[in-house]
Amino acid sequence: MRMVDSNITEISETSLANTLLTIGVQLRAARKESGRSVADIANQLRINSGYVNAIEKGDLEALPSSTYVAGFLRSYGNIVDLDGNELARTYLARV
């Protein structure tokens, strides 16, 4: 069995983190434009506000599995009038 090049893994994780950060910036801007707080979004999503902050900052380490994150992105996007399905698809394309 061949060893996986650790650089490939790092590049992949960096790419995913950058994708999440890009999505997070869009979500944060839409949230602020709608006049909602992080707590408001967390309450509507029924998740910990730490997850909302992690999404907005692109902090993969603070988030659960990608399946949950995709669901959070979908729902969060829909709450702030963005295409939640597209946000989730974009994220999952990098996983």
Side-chain angles (χ1 to χ4, degrees):
M1 186 182 315
R2 291 176 36 189
M3 296 293 290
V4 174
D5 184 348
S6 63
N7 290 331
I8 293 172
T9 304
E10 288 176 22
I11 291 168
S12 178
E13 288 175 4
T14 300
S15 178
L16 181 59
N18 287 339
T19 298
L20 182 60
L21 178 59
T22 300
I23 292 169
V25 166
Q26 292 175 49
L27 289 167
R28 180 177 38 242
R31 173 181 58 77
K32 287 183 174 185
E33 186 177 307
S34 72
R36 292 180 174 100
S37 69
V38 167
D40 292 335
I41 298 298
N43 287 335
Q44 284 189 270
L45 293 175
R46 295 185 180 101
I47 63 172
N48 184 301
S49 62
Y51 287 156
V52 176
N53 284 318
I55 288 168
E56 291 184 356
K57 293 177 183 175
D59 184 3
L60 286 172
E61 298 297 317
L63 293 167
S65 75
S66 59
T67 303
Y68 286 105
V69 174
F72 296 164
L73 296 176
R74 184 177 294 109
S75 297
Y76 188 172
N78 291 338
I79 288 170
V80 295
D81 295 326
L82 295 177
D83 185 344
N85 287 327
E86 183 61 30
L87 295 175
R89 270 194 299 275
T90 299
Y91 172 76
L92 287 172
R94 295 290 187 174
V95 173

